[in-house]
């Protein structure tokens, strides 16, 4: 799920990342070709191909949805102009049958994906995606908290990553530090999390043969975000 604000931040981060890689990439090429007898026309063609592949990987598909031809890459005045052309394309992909919306949220799924999806927004603003796959024997859930390492205060670097760890170390309803992992281990599951620059993502999976067990798993997971303990002992270790 994306909003205009998240698309904008995605464009900005993609731009800076692409510029960095293109700078490094072109530097490598200059060094290589200056000490090589490879035909210059061939070199330019190879360089354009590498740029095309690099930008294809780095630019978010949610922002750029058109295919830029090799000719466009060859004719671009510079990397900045090329990048501008890429990140300003905001037309939706030509797979309308796989774009599902609830009026507020838009979900894009692969055209061959036959699973059932539902999206909605809770009263507190939390956006939710539900996915049902009758052929699966497992269940999973994830929470994306839209705060990451870029929000760390100067006085406390690493605060977002610290919070990520602390949420696993006991909650008001389930105070034992290893309670969640013990529960998941006994139900064929696992959990993990990661801190990115603008998001912190938590997730878990487990066997789904018993609804009551999944309900407990969701209750335990939800308590991370409503009543984490941040005990003195765990805080000191982390």
């Amino acid at each position: 799920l994306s909003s205009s604000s998240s698309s904008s931040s995605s464009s900005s981060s993609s731009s800076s990342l692409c510029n960095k890689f293109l700078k490094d990439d072109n530097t490598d090429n200059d060094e290589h070709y200056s000490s090589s007898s490879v035909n210059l026309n061939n070199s330019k063609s190879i360089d354009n191909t590498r740029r095309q592949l690099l930008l294809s990987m780095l630019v978010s598909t949610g922002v750029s949805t058109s295919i830029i031809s090799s000719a466009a890459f060859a004719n671009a005045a510079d990397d900045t102009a090329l990048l501008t052309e890429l990140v300003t394309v905001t037309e939706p992909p030509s797979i309308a049958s796989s774009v599902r919306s609830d009026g507020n949220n838009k979900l894009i799924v692969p055209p061959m994906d036959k699973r059932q999806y539902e999206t909605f927004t809770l009263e507190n603003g939390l956006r939710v995606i539900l996915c049902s796959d009758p052929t699966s024997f497992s269940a999973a859930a994830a929470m994306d908290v839209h705060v990451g390492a870029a929000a760390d205060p100067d006085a406390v670097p690493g605060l977002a990553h610290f919070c990520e760890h602390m949420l696993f170390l006991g909650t008001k309803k389930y105070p034992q530090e290893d309670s969640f992992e013990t529960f998941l281990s006994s139900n064929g599951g696992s959990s993990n999390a990661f801190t990115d620059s603008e998001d912190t993502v938590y997730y878990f999976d487990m066997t789904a043969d018993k609804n009551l067990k999944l309900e407990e798993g969701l209750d335990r997971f939800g308590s991370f975000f409503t009543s984490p303990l941040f005990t003195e002992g765990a805080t000191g270790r982390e």
Side-chain angles (χ1 to χ4, degrees):
L1 291 173
S2 65
S3 63
S4 56
S5 59
S6 61
S7 295
S8 174
S9 62
S10 175
S11 301
S12 174
S13 58
S14 295
S15 299
S16 59
L17 188 58
C18 285
N19 281 330
K20 177 184 182 302
F21 273 81
L22 285 169
K23 180 179 178 182
D24 294 343
D25 188 53
N26 288 337
T27 301
D28 291 342
N29 287 341
D30 291 343
E31 293 174 355
H32 175 72
Y33 294 136
S34 63
S35 61
S36 170
S37 60
V38 177
N39 181 278
L40 287 178
N41 288 332
N42 257 355
S43 304
K44 186 175 182 181
S45 173
I46 293 171
D47 188 43
N48 287 334
T49 301
R50 290 182 63 188
R51 291 165 64 206
Q52 183 174 11
L53 289 171
L54 182 63
L55 284 166
S56 296
M57 290 186 289
L58 292 180
V59 177
S60 166
T61 56
V63 178
S64 173
T65 57
S66 67
I67 299 176
I68 307 299
S69 66
S70 297
F73 276 76
N75 295 331
D78 53 40
D79 293 333
T80 303
L82 183 60
L83 186 59
T84 300
E85 181 177 0
L86 278 167
V87 300
T88 54
V89 177
T90 55
E91 291 299 317
S94 56
I95 49 171
S97 61
S98 65
V99 177
R100 309 171 192 184
S101 174
D102 64 358
N104 296 315
N105 301 313
K106 185 177 292 184
L107 180 66
I108 301 175
V109 299
M112 299 302 291
D113 189 346
K114 302 304 181 184
R115 293 175 293 185
Q116 295 179 335
Y117 288 89
E118 184 178 346
T119 65
F120 54 90
T121 302
L122 300 179
E123 290 183 359
N124 62 5
L126 188 69
R127 293 174 294 170
V128 180
I129 302 174
L130 297 179
C131 174
S132 175
D133 184 355
T135 66
S136 175
F137 294 99
S138 63
M143 170 72 85
D144 180 354
V145 179
H146 192 40
V147 176
D152 287 348
D154 293 338
V156 194
L159 183 61
H161 196 195
F162 165 76
C163 289
E164 173 210 311
H165 283 219
M166 291 300 297
L167 264 58
F168 285 90
L169 300 179
T171 66
K172 184 176 180 180
K173 188 173 181 179
Y174 305 99
Q176 190 167 332
E177 287 188 9
D178 62 350
S179 175
F180 190 52
E181 291 306 312
T182 300
F183 169 79
L184 290 178
S185 296
S186 64
N187 289 280
S190 62
S191 67
N192 212 332
F194 63 87
T195 301
D196 208 337
S197 58
E198 296 183 347
D199 298 270
T200 306
V201 179
Y202 304 80
Y203 55 94
F204 78 94
D205 64 83
M206 58 181 292
T207 55
D209 53 343
K210 296 179 181 178
N211 286 336
L212 288 178
K213 286 294 184 181
L214 175 58
E215 184 177 341
E216 182 181 345
L218 291 171
D219 187 54
R220 288 173 174 274
F221 186 61
S223 69
F224 281 19
F225 312 101
T226 58
S227 57
L229 289 181
F230 281 79
T231 63
E232 183 176 351
T235 299
R237 290 197 308 276
E238 290 298 325

